[in-house]
Each structure stands twice: as C-alpha cells, then as structure tokens.
Amino acid sequence: MSNTRPSTAIKHQVMRSLKWVALGKIVTQVLRWAITFWVIRILSPVDYGVVAMSAVLSGFFIIILSSLFTASIIQRKDLNQVVLKQMFGAIILSHSAFFLIQYGLAEPVAAYYQSNTVSEVLKINAWCFLFLAFEVIPAALLAKNMEFKQVSLIAATSNIIAAIVTLVMAYSDFGLWSLVYGELLNNVLRCILTFLTKPTLFFPSFRTDQIRGMLRFGILLSVLSMLFYVFTNMDVAIGGRLMTPAEIGLYAIGLQVALTPQKKIMPLLRQVAFPAYAQIQDQGTLIAKYVLKVQRLCIGFTLPIFWGLASVIDVVIPLLLGDKWQGAIIPTAIMLIIMPLRFSEELFGPALKSLRRVKHMLINLCIMIAVMFVSINIGARFGATGLAFAWLCAYPLGYMLVAWRNSRILSTPFNLLIKCFIPPVLAGAGMLCMVYLVKSISFHNLALNLIVQIAVGGLSYLALINMLDKNSVKEALALVRNKGN
C-alpha cells in the first residue's frame, strides 16, 4: 500500500474533522466558560469540594466503561450487525452492573470523606449509567466514520442547554445540586441526540463468540483508563482525606482552571487522531513522522496558552471568580506551568493505542503513579499550594521516563522530541518576563490590566517563536491552510 492516501486523503479528512470539532468546541466553550465562571462566583469552595470528592468514584466508573467498548468498535475493520448486537448486549449488562455498584458504594464513600452529601450525589449520578448504555455504539460509529460535524452539533446543543440550566439553578439557591443536575442533564441530552443521529435499531444479543477479541482489547484499555484515572484523581482523593472541604475546593477550582485549555483541546485531537492513526496502523514509519510533527506543532501552540494564562492568573481569578477565590491563584499558576508536559504526554496515546501497545501504556502509567504518589502524600499536608507543588516537583521526572520509553516504541528519536520543546520554552520564558515587566504598569481597571498583559504576552511570544523556529511557524500556517504534508 502506498503512502499517497495517508499523506493526502487522510490528511484532508483529518483537517476537515478537526475544523468541525474545533468549531463546535469554540462555539460551545465561549458560552460555557462564561456561564461556568458565573456559577463559580455564586457557589462556594465547599460546594465544589463536595462535588469534586463525589466525582472521584463516579468519574472512575465512567472512564472504565468509555474505554471498554468504544475503541474496540472504532479499531475493528469488519463490523457487522451480529458483532454490534453482541456488543450492545455486553454494554447493557456492564452499565447496569455499574449502576448497582455505585449505588451500593455511595454510603461507604461518604463515610470515607465524612460527608453525607457525597452519598446523595453519588446515588443521583448513578442513573447516568443507564442512559449512557444507549450512546456507546452510535457515538463510536460516528467517530469511526469521522462524522464530526454531527458530533460537534450534539455536544454544542447538550452542553449549552445544561450550562444554562446549571446557571438558573445556581441563581435559585440550589447550591451544589445545580452542578449535579446540570451534569446529569448534559449526559441525558447527549445520549438522546446521539441515538437519534445514529440509531442502533436492533435488539441486543447476550452471546460473546464474535466479540471476545474486542472485549479483551477493551478490558486492557479499561485497565489503562482505571490507572489513568487513579493517576489524575489521586490528588483529590488523598487531599480530600487530609485537607478541609474548603481547601480541596480551592485546589479543585485551581486545577479546573489549569486543566480547562487541555480539556478543551486534547479531546478534540484525541477524537480525530485515534481513527486517523487506526487507518495507517500498518505503516510505522508514517506514524513516527506524524507523532513528531504533532508534538512539535502542539507544544508550540499550547505552551503559550498555559504559560500565558499562568502569567495573568492573578488578574483572571479575581476578575472572573471573585475575591473569595484568591487562595486558588498560586496553586493554579503552579499547575499551569507543568501543563505543557501533561499535554505532550497524552499526545502519545492515540498512536500507541492504534498500534495496540496497551501493555506498554500500562507500564508508563504505573511509573507515573509511583512517582506522583509519594509526592502527593507529602504535598497534601501543606494545603492547596503544597498539592500543586507536588505536581511541579515530581511530574517532570515521570514525563522524561515515559517519553523516553515512547520514543523507542514509536521509532521517534528521543533527542528530536526534546528539541521540540526548546524554541517554545525559550519563547515562553521571554513572554513571561515581558508580562511581569508590564505588571509594574498597573491600571485601576482589572479588565484593562488583563487586556494589556495578554496583548504584550501574545505579541512577545509570536515575535520570539518566529525568530527561534521560523520553519515550524510556516508549517503551522500551511497546515491551517490545508497545504501541509
């Protein structure tokens, strides 16, 4: 098979898909961010602390189920109705089981956190599993066929409606329940719209003879997702035991703000990248080429976003969230500094998954968990700032270890990967210096301060990156115009 199609047809398909997903994200997130910040101003750190503690278990179960079936359906080339019927049966059984498990564990988890409200939240969230069972196959088929226009419209509709309902409930003094019911509504609406767009009009089969290989692959991915969830949530789980709800609420909001750019950009890339890599899974050289290219372009694009936000977070939080969230400024800034590394590490996932290197990914996660567990247990004893410093001190070490392992598997020289960071880091450091110099010129209006600092930071980064890595700038522009290779 020649490389012509991957370098032309697939590239154009990927770019079209990215544009649709990006458009849907931008339209949705502009409104949702505005509403989210509005809601944060209304609610208290305790409200967010309780929801964050409850989300540790419910989010853990959701991520297991999302990995168990979707990737297997996307990767399998010879799908037929018999296979889909058997998958549907397995999906119904597993989602029903997790509904019962979460409902039963609600009381013990509440006892661990010493909060009866956690139990009530978990029992309400459990109902999501029964709705999500009817979304899995339609959503996987939409992704497999790269029909991201429909996916974007569904996500935009459900997110916007749920965000508006959350705001109305917050204003009506529902407190943390506005967050709980808003998320439940989002899931229900997304399931209904996805099913109507790509209906699975057949009865489930509870046999497994045609899907055993898919289930084995899905189980491995679920184990991987479980470990990843432990890795990304053990800070709240450990901190929730050692810190007060208000402290964990400050940290949770800081983490939410720090992760916001990654949560909006990474799913966009992952959603398109895995089906694209799956189509060229037998062409290792081409995958290696695209892995380096994606790393280089994404680091150059995301680092100024994270570091730029870190440089102005002392203005952003008081302006958007209010003075009661001042305690989240330092933890947020610290977390934002390491976000480019977290973003880069996750970029390896779609390529490794397309090559079925799940065991390799499992070892990577075990390394990360071991490194971070010790650091988090120490940092959590010093409040929200200590918890953030735990990430800053330990994550770079874990990243270097797993990036070196990934470069060997993907045949991407480790020194070339490290070189991807040098121009953006230098340009980013210059940007930080310029922003902090501008902070000495203070206006009485916070919004004006923010605009000036963003303008200076953005122009500084663009000028410096163009001096340090002009070729990557030209490559990025060519890719946007759909003329790159």
Side-chain angles (χ1 to χ4, degrees):
M1 180 179 176
S2 70
N3 289 349
T4 303
R5 185 174 182 271
S7 62
T8 55
I10 289 181
K11 181 180 75 67
H12 291 306
Q13 189 179 15
V14 168
M15 289 307 301
R16 284 196 301 271
S17 300
L18 277 171
K19 286 175 182 177
W20 267 111
V21 177
L23 180 62
K25 291 286 183 183
I26 291 170
V27 171
T28 303
Q29 293 309 323
V30 167
L31 179 58
R32 181 146 192 180
W33 278 343
I35 293 176
T36 297
F37 291 135
W38 204 344
V39 171
I40 291 173
R41 293 180 71 94
I42 299 170
L43 301 183
S44 70
V46 174
D47 291 330
Y48 278 91
V50 171
V51 172
M53 290 186 286
S54 305
V56 171
L57 180 67
S58 59
F60 180 61
F61 288 160
I62 286 174
I63 203 168
I64 293 172
L65 290 172
S66 66
S67 302
L68 189 56
F69 305 104
T70 302
S72 300
I73 295 171
I74 292 173
Q75 213 229 16
R76 179 153 174 168
K77 293 184 176 179
D78 57 335
L79 279 178
N80 55 59
Q81 195 170 64
V82 174
V83 170
L84 291 177
K85 282 183 176 181
Q86 292 189 9
M87 287 295 283
F88 193 24
I91 289 166
I92 289 175
L93 290 176
S94 60
H95 280 67
S96 300
F98 275 95
F99 164 75
L100 295 173
I101 292 170
Q102 180 165 311
Y103 210 92
L105 286 177
E107 297 292 343
V109 172
Y112 171 81
Y113 286 119
Q114 301 173 9
S115 171
N116 291 331
T117 310
V118 169
S119 172
E120 298 173 36
V121 172
L122 285 171
K123 287 179 179 179
I124 292 171
N125 280 342
W127 290 96
C128 287
F129 295 120
L130 301 183
F131 290 99
L132 290 170
F134 296 93
E135 181 198 22
V136 177
I137 291 178
L141 293 177
L142 286 171
K144 183 179 180 67
N145 298 330
M146 301 188 80
E147 298 177 52
F148 292 110
K149 177 180 179 180
Q150 291 88 334
V151 173
S152 298
L153 292 173
I154 290 167
T157 303
S158 56
N159 273 293
I160 289 171
I161 293 174
I164 293 171
V165 170
T166 301
L167 177 61
V168 171
M169 291 184 69
Y171 253 115
S172 302
D173 295 327
F174 278 86
L176 64 89
W177 298 109
S178 57
L179 302 173
V180 176
Y181 286 111
E183 185 61 26
L184 179 63
L185 177 63
N186 187 18
N187 284 321
V188 172
L189 282 175
R190 193 184 66 246
C191 293
I192 292 172
L193 293 173
T194 303
F195 186 83
L196 292 175
T197 302
K198 202 84 170 178
T200 51
L201 300 175
F202 47 76
F203 288 104
S205 169
F206 297 100
R207 298 180 60 181
T208 60
D209 55 295
Q210 298 292 314
I211 60 170
R212 286 171 189 163
M214 296 174 72
L215 291 178
R216 282 194 294 270
F217 180 56
I219 288 170
L220 279 175
L221 287 178
S222 290
V223 173
L224 177 68
S225 295
M226 283 189 281
L227 284 176
F228 182 74
Y229 194 79
V230 169
F231 168 67
T232 54
N233 288 273
M234 62 182 176
D235 48 2
V236 173
I238 295 170
R241 185 68 174 176
L242 299 175
M243 296 155 59
T244 66
E247 287 176 327
I248 203 67
L250 287 172
Y251 175 78
I253 287 301
L255 185 61
Q256 181 178 335
V257 172
L259 284 172
T260 293
Q262 180 175 357
K263 285 183 175 180
K264 306 315 173 188
I265 300 170
M266 182 53 71
L268 180 157
L269 295 174
R270 195 162 44 225
Q271 193 175 17
V272 176
F274 178 51
Y277 279 127
Q279 293 186 38
I280 57 171
Q281 58 188 273
D282 54 346
Q283 300 181 57
T285 303
L286 196 59
I287 287 179
K289 172 188 171 183
Y290 284 140
V291 165
L292 269 180
K293 183 173 184 176
V294 168
Q295 286 281 353
R296 184 172 62 253
L297 294 175
C298 287
I299 291 166
F301 175 72
T302 59
L303 186 140
I305 294 175
F306 290 116
W307 285 19
L309 185 54
S311 70
V312 298
I313 201 66
D314 59 321
V315 181
V316 170
I317 285 182
L319 180 64
L320 296 182
L321 307 186
D323 291 336
K324 66 183 176 182
W325 295 99
Q326 291 272 2
I329 291 175
I330 295 177
T332 307
I334 294 170
M335 293 298 295
L336 282 164
I337 294 298
I338 64 158
M339 280 300 149
L341 286 182
R342 291 186 64 168
F343 196 95
S344 172
E345 198 278 324
E346 286 195 42
L347 281 175
F348 288 110
L352 292 169
K353 195 187 297 183
S354 71
L355 297 174
R356 301 177 73 92
R357 294 285 188 169
V358 182
K359 291 181 180 178
H360 171 87
M361 297 170 74
L362 284 170
I363 295 172
N364 282 352
L365 265 178
C366 289
I367 292 171
M368 283 290 194
I369 290 171
V371 169
M372 291 306 308
F373 181 78
V374 176
S375 184
I376 286 171
N377 269 284
I378 296 171
R381 302 175 190 279
F382 299 93
T385 301
L387 207 49
F389 265 115
W391 283 95
L392 182 64
C393 294
Y395 190 83
L397 172 62
Y399 173 84
M400 294 295 286
L401 292 172
V402 301
W404 175 75
R405 283 173 43 81
N406 290 341
S407 65
R408 296 180 64 193
I409 291 293
L410 296 169
S411 301
T412 54
F414 185 62
N415 64 314
L416 293 183
L417 174 65
I418 298 303
K419 284 182 180 179
C420 293
F421 281 92
I422 295 175
V425 166
L426 291 175
M431 175 188 67
L432 289 175
C433 291
M434 291 301 298
V435 172
Y436 280 107
L437 284 174
V438 171
K439 285 182 183 292
S440 61
I441 307 170
S442 181
F443 301 98
H444 293 295
N445 189 294
L446 281 178
L448 183 57
N449 282 333
L450 181 61
I451 292 169
V452 170
Q453 290 173 25
I454 290 174
V456 170
L459 291 173
S460 301
Y461 182 83
L462 288 174
L464 288 168
I465 198 66
N466 194 53
M467 290 169 48
L468 296 167
D469 195 6
K470 189 171 292 185
N471 289 333
S472 289
V473 174
K474 290 180 179 178
E475 188 179 25
L477 292 173
L479 192 62
V480 171
R481 296 170 186 148
N482 220 1
K483 296 179 180 179
N485 294 321

